[in-house]
Amino acid sequence: MPIFTRQLRKMDTSTPEQAVREMANHIRYIQEQLEWTLSNLDSSNINEINMSQTNVTSSGAANIGGDGISIKGKNGEIFEVGIGDSGAFVFTLKGKDGKQMAYVDNEGKLIVTRNAYITIDDNTDFTIDGGTW
């Protein structure tokens, strides 16, 4: 869908005043169209967003951009998931005051730290492999 519905016509340069007036009017038209388009820009007229070039942030503490998602709580809580600077998968969960609760290490293992408090209800299967003793 074109932004501008009108094009600048071929100008008669033999009358410079008229040519300048037409250009000025066309510039005003372009400015009005841009202002209207930008003030009415919303998700209904966006087809695609390249996340490697765009960050989407909330008025709160959520950030989606580049290669990941980050959500931060008001008490230092953090949830991050995506691809890190080294190209490795990143998953981090931090609780109050930023204390590490769980993360995925460089071998892809989920590590739950001693800072995590886990509650398991009747509908949850939870298996801990303690390895070989």
Side-chain angles (χ1 to χ4, degrees):
M1 179 173 117
I3 295 174
F4 304 111
T5 56
R6 254 180 14 193
Q7 290 187 352
L8 183 60
R9 298 183 310 256
K10 185 171 167 102
M11 287 189 272
D12 180 7
T13 54
S14 64
T15 55
E17 286 182 17
Q18 180 62 24
V20 169
R21 204 171 327 185
E22 283 184 36
M23 285 190 335
N25 287 339
H26 192 71
I27 291 169
R28 273 197 246 2
Y29 160 76
I30 290 172
Q31 180 180 1
E32 288 172 7
Q33 286 290 307
L34 280 173
E35 287 175 359
W36 185 89
T37 300
L38 292 173
S39 65
N40 290 289
L41 192 62
D42 62 15
S43 60
S44 68
N45 42 28
I46 296 176
N47 296 327
E48 182 178 316
I49 294 177
N50 184 336
M51 295 307 289
S52 66
Q53 299 173 352
T54 307
N55 284 333
V56 178
T57 57
S58 70
S59 58
N63 182 6
I64 303 170
D67 289 321
I69 298 171
S70 172
I71 303 172
K72 297 181 180 180
K74 62 182 177 180
N75 297 315
E77 305 93 344
I78 300 172
F79 170 75
E80 293 177 321
V81 65
I83 304 298
D85 294 336
S86 66
F89 180 75
V90 174
F91 175 90
T92 302
L93 181 61
K94 296 181 180 179
K96 187 175 180 182
D97 300 324
K99 291 183 179 175
Q100 186 87 27
M101 296 176 66
Y103 63 95
V104 171
D105 69 9
N106 58 2
E107 294 180 5
K109 296 177 182 173
L110 175 65
I111 310 297
V112 179
T113 72
R114 70 179 77 202
N115 297 320
Y117 178 79
I118 300 173
T119 302
I120 302 171
D121 65 19
D122 293 337
N123 299 318
T124 305
D125 291 330
F126 190 76
T127 303
I128 298 176
D129 181 352
T132 304
W133 291 74

